C-alpha cells in the first residue's frame, strides 16, 4: 500500500496529485508542452512567411508526422525494453539538442525543407517518449485515480495549448523564431531534470521472447492486444477520427486566421488556445464519465461536439466568436482523448501497455497526416467554404452513420454490468471495499468466480498455501482449527454476507484454519492477487483489520497480524 493510498481521497485530479512521482512527471510534461507549442507556432509562422503556401503549411504537419509514423509502433516496443525513466531523460536531452540545431539553421535563413527535416527528428523521438509516459502513469498512481491522472495530463496539454502558442506569439512579436526555439530547448532540459526526480522505476520486458521474436512480431503484439478489447478498440478508433479533424485543424487554422479572421498567420495560436480552454473546462467532469455505462454514446456525442462547430466558421468572421467555437470543440476533444487513454490502461496487461500506446501513436499520426493532407486538396477543389463544410458535416455524419455499431459496445457493457451487478452488490455490502469506486468494484467482480460446495465438504485446508478469498452468498460454513494445541476444534460459524480466507493472503503464508461446509454453500472465489490489489487500493478499514486480528488470535493466540502483503510495498 503506497503512501498516497493511505491518504484521504477526494477523487479525480486532486487524488492523482497526491502522488509525489506523478507531480514530478506532470511538471516535466507541462514545461515541455509549453515549449513545444511555442515552437509549433514559430515553425508554422517561419514556413508560412517563407512560402505563403497552404501546401507548405500542410508539409509542416506531414513532415513532422509521417517520419514519426514509421517509427511510432516500434517506439512502444523500445519503451518496454528500456527502463522508462532513463529513456525519457535521454529523449528530452536529445530533443533539446535538435532545437538548438534548428535555431542555428533558421538563423542562417535555411530553406523550409531543412527545418521540417529537423522537426521530423524531434517528432520521431517523441514517439518513444509518449508510450513510456503513458505506461509509467499506471505504475505511479493507483487504478482508481487513472482517469483523474489522464484528465490532468489533458489539462496540462490544454493549458500548454493556451500558454504555449501565446508565448510563441509574444516571442515572435518582440524577438524572432530563434528565441522561440531556444526557449523550447530549455524546456526540454527542465523536463529532463523533473524526470530525474522520479523514484519509480520500470522493469524492462523481454519483448523479443528470448530472442525468438523479431521486430515484426514485437510490433504486431501491440495491435493484437488492442484488438482483444472491444471497448478499448472502439474508443481508440473514435480518438483516431478526432485526430483526423485535428490534423485538418493544423492547416485550416492558419488559412482561416489569415484569410477570414484577419489575424494573420499568428492567429493560429489563438484558435489553438480556444481548444485548450475547452479542454480545461471539461476536465472537471470527465473523470465521472470514465465510469459511465454508455461509453460509446458519450464518445459519439463528444465527437459531434468537436466536429460540428467547424461548419459555423462559414458565417463567423469575428475572432472572439471563432475562439469561443474552439472552446466548445476543445471540450469534446478532451472527452474523446481521456476516455480512450483510460480504457487502454484499464483493459490491457501492464507489460503490453507501452506497446499498445506505440500502436495508438501510429494510428494517431496516420490520422493527423490524413487530416493535414486532405485540406490542401479540398481547398483547391471546393475552396475554403467547401472545405469547412466537408470537414464539419462529413465527420459528424460519419459519427451518426457508425452509431449503430457503437451501440453494440454499449449493449455489451450493459450486459456485462447486469451480470456483474449481483457480485458488485455483494462485495460492496462487505464493508471491506466501501471506499472503492465503481470501476474498481467492477474489476474485482469480474475476477470472481461462482463456486458451490456440498454439505460436509472441506473447502480449504489448514496449512495449505493461501491462494484465494471467499465470500459466502448462500449457506453456512464452520471454521475449524487445530491451532497450536494440535487438536482440531470449531472456532466459529459463518453465513451469507460473511467471508473467509483473508488471513493467509494478508500474511502471505499458509492457511491458519480449515473451512467445512455445514450446508450446501454458494461462494464467490476471488484470486488472492486481485484481492490484495483491491484491498491496497481502497485502504483497509480499521474495523476490517481489527476483525482479522481477532480471527487470527482465535486460532493462533501467539501470533500478531503483520499484513505483510499490504506493508511490503509502502513508500
Amino acid at each position: 500500500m503506497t503512501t498516497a493510498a493511505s491518504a484521504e481521497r477526494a477523487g479525480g485530479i486532486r487524488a492523482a496529485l497526491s502522488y509525489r512521482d506523478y507531480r514530478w512527471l506532470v511538471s516535466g510534461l507541462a514545461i515541455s508542452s509549453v515549449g513545444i507549442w511555442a515552437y509549433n507556432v514559430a515553425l508554422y509562422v517561419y514556413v508560412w512567411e517563407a512560402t505563403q503556401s497552404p501546401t507548405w503549411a500542410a508539409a509542416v504537419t506531414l513532415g513532422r508526422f509521417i517520419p514519426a509514423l514509421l517509427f511510432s509502433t516500434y517506439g512502444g516496443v523500445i519503451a518496454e525494453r528500456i527502463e522508462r525513466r532513463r529513456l525519457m531523460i535521454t529523449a528530452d536531452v536529445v530533443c533539446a539538442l535538435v532545437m538548438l540545431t534548428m535555431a542555428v539553421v533558421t538563423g542562417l535563413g535555411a530553406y523550409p525543407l531543412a527545418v521540417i527535416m529537423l522537426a521530423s527528428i524531434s517528432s520521431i523521438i517523441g514517439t518513444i517518449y509518449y508510450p513510456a509516459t503513458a505506461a509509467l502513469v499506471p505504475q505511479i498512481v493507483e487504478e482508481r485515480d487513472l482517469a483523474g491522472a489522464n484528465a490532468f495530463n489533458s489539462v496540462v496539454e490544454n493549458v500548454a495549448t493556451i500558454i504555449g502558442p501565446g508565448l510563441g506569439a509574444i516571442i515572435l512579436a518582440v524577438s524572432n523564431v530563434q528565441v522561440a526555439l531556444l526557449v523550447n530547448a530549455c524546456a526540454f532540459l527542465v523536463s529532463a531534470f523533473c524526470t530525474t526526480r522520479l523514484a519509480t522505476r520500470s522493469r524492462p520486458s523481454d519483448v523479443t521472447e528470448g530472442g525468438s521474436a523479431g521486430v515484426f512480431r514485437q510490433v504486431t503484439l501491440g495491435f493484437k492486444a488492442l484488438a482483444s478489447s472491444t471497448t478499448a478498440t472502439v474508443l481508440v478508433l473514435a480518438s483516431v477520427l478526432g485526430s483526423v479533424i485535428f490534423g485538418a485543424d493544423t492547416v485550416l487554422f492558419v488559412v482561416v486566421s489569415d484569410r477570414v479572421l484577419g489575424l494573420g498567420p499568428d492567429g493560429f495560436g489563438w484558435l489553438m488556445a480556444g481548444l485548450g480552454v475547452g479542454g480545461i473546462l471539461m476536465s472537471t467532469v470527465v473523470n465521472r464519465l470514465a465510469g459511465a455505462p454508455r461509453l460509446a454514446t458519450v464518445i459519439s456525442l463528444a465527437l459531434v461536439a468537436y466536429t460540428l462547430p467547424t461548419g459555423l466558421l462559414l458565417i463567423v468572421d469575428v475572432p472572439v466568436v471563432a475562439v469561443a467555437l474552439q472552446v466548445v470543440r476543445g471540450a469534446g476533444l478532451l472527452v474523446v482523448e481521456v476516455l480512450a487513454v483510460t480504457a487502454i490502461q484499464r483493459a490491457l496487461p501492464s507489460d503490453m501497455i507501452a506497446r499498445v500506446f506505440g500502436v495508438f501513436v501510429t494510428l494517431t499520426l496516420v490520422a493527423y497526416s490524413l487530416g493535414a493532407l486532405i485540406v490542401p486538396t479540398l481547398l483547391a477543389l471546393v475552396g475554403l467554404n467547401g472545405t469547412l463544410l466537408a470537414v464539419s458535416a462529413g465527420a459528424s455524419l460519419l459519427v451518426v452513420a457508425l452509431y449503430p455499431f457503437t451501440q453494440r459496445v454499449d449493449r455489451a457493457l450493459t450486459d456485462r454490468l447486469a451480470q456483474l451487478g449481483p457480485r458488485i452488490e455483494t462485495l460492496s455490502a462487505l464493508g471491506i471495499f466501501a471506499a472503492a469506486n465503481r470501476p474498481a468494484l467492477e474489476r474485482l467482480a469480474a475476477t470472481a468466480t461462482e463456486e458451490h460446495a456440498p454439505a460436509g465438504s472441506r473447502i480449504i485446508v489448514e496449512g495449505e498455501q493461501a491462494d484465494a478469498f471467499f465470500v459466502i452468498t448462500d449457506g453456512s460454513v464452520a471454521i475449524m482449527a487445530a491451532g497450536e494445541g494440535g487438536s482440531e476444534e470449531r472456532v466459529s460459524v459463518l453465513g451469507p454476507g460473511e467471508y473467509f480466507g483473508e488471513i493467509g493472503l494478508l500474511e502471505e503464508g499458509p492457511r491458519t484454519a480449515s473451512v467445512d461446509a455445514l450446508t450446501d454453500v454458494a461462494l464467490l472465489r476471488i484470486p488472492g492477487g486481485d484481492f490484495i490489489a483491491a484491498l491496497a487500493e481502497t485502504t483497509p478499514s480499521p474495523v476490517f483489520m481489527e476483525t482479522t486480528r481477532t480471527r487470527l488470535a482465535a486460532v493462533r493466540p501467539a501470533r500478531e497480524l503483520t499484513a505483510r502483503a499490504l506493508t511490503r510495498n509502502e513508500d
Side-chain angles (χ1 to χ4, degrees):
M1 181 174 58
T2 64
T3 300
S6 62
E8 180 182 357
R9 295 294 194 188
I13 289 173
R14 181 178 172 185
L17 289 172
S18 67
Y19 300 85
R20 172 191 175 276
D21 272 11
Y22 178 71
R23 292 195 299 271
W24 278 112
L25 181 70
V26 81
S27 295
L29 177 64
I31 293 166
S32 62
S33 295
V34 169
I36 288 171
W37 273 109
Y39 140 76
N40 281 345
V41 172
L43 180 61
Y44 278 101
V45 169
Y46 181 83
V47 172
W48 180 264
E49 290 180 342
T51 64
Q52 295 293 309
S53 168
T55 300
W56 272 103
V60 174
T61 300
L62 295 176
R64 293 168 58 212
F65 291 158
I66 290 180
L69 171 63
L70 300 176
F71 291 91
S72 57
T73 304
Y74 196 66
V77 175
I78 294 174
E80 295 286 7
R81 297 184 65 172
I82 301 175
E83 200 282 313
R84 291 167 192 147
R85 172 182 171 275
R86 177 161 54 91
L87 182 65
M88 292 160 60
I89 293 170
T90 303
D92 275 331
V93 172
V94 173
C95 282
L97 294 175
V98 172
M99 290 300 114
L100 290 173
T101 304
M102 194 181 296
V104 173
V105 169
T106 56
L108 296 174
Y111 193 65
L113 181 60
V115 179
I116 292 173
M117 290 177 65
L118 286 170
S120 299
I121 296 173
S122 179
S123 296
I124 290 170
I125 298 170
T127 64
I128 300 172
Y129 192 92
Y130 177 69
T133 303
L136 200 58
V137 170
Q139 290 184 251
I140 294 174
V141 307
E142 296 171 4
E143 189 179 9
R144 66 181 292 172
D145 300 322
L146 266 180
N150 291 327
F152 192 65
N153 287 350
S154 293
V155 168
V156 166
E157 291 288 352
N158 284 303
V159 170
T161 303
I162 299 169
I163 298 176
L167 177 62
I170 293 171
I171 292 173
L172 293 177
V174 302
S175 186
N176 54 39
V177 168
Q178 291 73 46
V179 173
L181 293 171
L182 291 174
V183 167
N184 193 28
C186 292
F188 278 124
L189 293 177
V190 174
S191 176
F193 170 76
C194 290
T195 307
T196 65
R197 306 298 297 168
L198 298 182
T200 302
R201 301 290 191 276
S202 69
R203 179 176 297 175
S205 301
D206 180 18
V207 299
T208 67
E209 299 178 14
S212 63
V215 172
F216 180 76
R217 176 171 171 76
Q218 295 170 33
V219 168
T220 55
L221 282 178
F223 284 96
K224 291 179 180 177
L226 177 60
S228 68
S229 171
T230 302
T231 299
T233 299
V234 169
L235 297 185
V236 165
L237 290 177
S239 183
V240 166
L241 177 58
S243 297
V244 172
I245 307 304
F246 189 83
D249 286 346
T250 62
V251 180
L252 272 176
F253 281 3
V254 176
V255 180
V256 169
S257 175
D258 190 42
R259 299 181 182 176
V260 177
L261 303 179
L263 297 174
D266 294 357
F268 168 85
W270 303 119
L271 293 175
M272 296 304 298
L275 289 177
V277 171
I280 292 171
L281 295 176
M282 180 54 68
S283 68
T284 59
V285 299
V286 72
N287 193 51
R288 302 174 189 174
L289 298 178
R294 298 180 64 82
L295 281 178
T297 299
V298 171
I299 207 81
S300 296
L301 292 173
L303 272 173
V304 171
Y306 177 49
T307 57
L308 199 57
T310 297
L312 295 177
L313 292 174
L314 289 166
I315 57 175
V316 170
D317 60 2
V318 179
V320 173
V321 178
V323 171
L325 289 175
Q326 305 317 310
V327 172
V328 175
R329 298 182 67 229
L333 180 60
L334 179 121
V335 171
V336 175
E337 290 177 342
V338 169
L339 293 187
V341 170
T342 305
I344 293 174
Q345 293 170 331
R346 282 178 169 171
L348 300 171
S350 59
D351 61 349
M352 292 296 296
I353 289 178
R355 267 180 280 187
V356 170
F357 272 103
V359 172
F360 186 46
V361 170
T362 298
L363 296 175
T364 299
L365 290 174
V366 169
Y368 283 157
S369 301
L370 179 61
L373 187 62
I374 63 176
V375 168
T377 303
L378 287 173
L379 287 171
L381 292 175
V382 298
L384 179 56
N385 287 348
T387 300
L388 290 171
L389 182 62
V391 170
S392 173
S396 298
L397 289 174
L398 181 59
V399 173
V400 174
L402 294 177
Y403 186 65
F405 297 96
T406 61
Q407 279 187 309
R408 295 179 185 177
V409 175
D410 280 339
R411 285 195 293 269
L413 286 172
T414 300
D415 291 344
R416 177 175 178 272
L417 291 178
Q419 293 174 352
L420 296 180
R423 298 182 189 177
I424 293 172
E425 186 176 344
T426 297
L427 293 173
S428 61
L430 294 178
I432 302 175
F433 308 110
N437 57 16
R438 180 75 180 192
L441 287 173
E442 289 173 10
R443 291 189 303 274
L444 196 60
T447 66
T449 55
E450 297 180 4
E451 297 187 356
H452 294 82
S457 63
R458 178 149 285 190
I459 301 170
I460 62 175
V461 178
E462 183 176 352
E464 289 184 347
Q465 186 65 30
D467 62 351
F469 173 75
F470 296 87
V471 181
I472 305 169
T473 57
D474 189 35
S476 60
V477 302
I479 308 299
M480 309 293 296
E484 295 160 354
S487 177
E488 188 173 85
E489 297 179 355
R490 178 182 293 186
V491 176
S492 62
V493 174
L494 303 177
E498 297 185 282
Y499 55 85
F500 58 89
E502 78 283 5
I503 295 176
L505 296 174
L506 288 170
E507 299 298 280
E508 295 184 327
R511 297 293 190 188
T512 56
S514 298
V515 179
D516 293 339
L518 294 178
T519 65
D520 290 344
V521 180
L523 303 162
L524 283 182
R525 181 185 187 277
I526 299 174
D530 296 315
F531 169 74
I532 292 298
L535 200 61
E537 176 181 327
T538 59
T539 307
S541 69
V543 173
F544 167 72
M545 297 304 294
E546 185 58 35
T547 298
T548 305
R549 289 190 184 93
T550 300
R551 288 184 173 187
L552 179 60
V555 295
R556 297 287 193 277
R559 281 181 55 181
E560 292 186 4
L561 183 70
T562 64
R564 183 182 309 164
L566 297 178
T567 59
R568 64 186 174 89
N569 290 324
E570 287 185 347
D571 290 341

